[in-house]
Amino acid sequence: MQSLQNYLLIASPSMDDPYFARTVTYICEHNEHGAMGLIINQPVGMKLKELVEQVDDKAEVIDEKAEDIILAGGPVSQDRGFILHTTQPGWASSLTMTPEVMVTTSKDIISSLGNKDAPDKSLIMLGYAGWTAGQLEEEIQTSSWLMVEADTEILFDTPIHKKWETAVQRLGIDVWQLGPDIGHA
């Protein structure tokens, strides 16, 4: 089995689950037990300043970061925070995904996100997407998902509303070429 860790799952137009329609999901873990990912383009309607105040009312948020958008990482454990960020060691609970990307789940990073101590680039998500053993592979076989290797440009530099289209273009396909029956013969 080839691991899809550090890949982006791009919801195909045939995706019939409204929660995942037009989403792009970064795969953090994929093995024989299942998969775990973070949706990187679904805002929850909360800004960084609100989140930091809920977690640490003494933490300061500088003006240029106060309006950073919090994302819905997925439908599972939406009370848990996940920070996908450029590599910066020193947090209590981090996993290195690639030499350029880490995921941190500890609260110690939240207080720093709004100031100069924060990682250079980050996405803040509440919740995650999870798949049981074989489930993701089955969804890929039925053309629910397209895949492309993740890169920091799509993760951190592409505006949220452009991530799906940009990820599709990385496949060498224009969005208008995708029909609802992609992958079905």
Side-chain angles (χ1 to χ4, degrees), residues 6 12 16-17 46 54 58 64 70 72 93 99 104 110 114 119 122 124 132 142 146 171 181:
N6 197 46
S12 75
D16 57 4
D17 183 334
M46 179 187 281
Q54 286 180 19
K58 293 178 180 66
E64 66 257 18
I70 307 303
S93 182
T104 298
I110 299 288
S122 62
I124 304 135
T132 59
T142 61
L146 305 168
L171 295 168
D181 297 324

Side-chain angles (χ1 to χ4, degrees), residues 45-55 60-62 64-70 83 109-115 118 122 124:
M46 179 187 281
K47 306 286 182 170
L48 178 60
K49 183 175 173 112
E50 275 180 83
L51 180 66
V52 170
E53 287 172 351
Q54 286 180 19
V55 174
E60 292 186 36
V61 178
I62 56 178
E64 66 257 18
K65 293 192 175 210
E67 296 300 307
D68 285 2
I69 295 169
I70 307 303
I83 295 60
I109 195 172
I110 299 288
S111 300
S112 76
L113 287 174
N115 63 50
S122 62
I124 304 135

Side-chain angles (χ1 to χ4, degrees), residues 89-138:
W91 309 109
S93 182
S94 296
L95 291 172
T96 300
M97 301 285 101
T98 72
E100 299 89 26
V101 178
M102 296 179 86
V103 174
T104 298
T105 58
S106 53
K107 285 186 178 181
D108 59 340
I109 195 172
I110 299 288
S111 300
S112 76
L113 287 174
N115 63 50
K116 63 180 177 29
D117 297 327
D120 289 338
K121 298 176 182 181
S122 62
L123 296 173
I124 304 135
M125 278 123 332
L126 297 174
Y128 68 94
W131 293 265
T132 59
Q135 181 183 2
L136 179 56
E137 292 82 359
E138 184 178 317

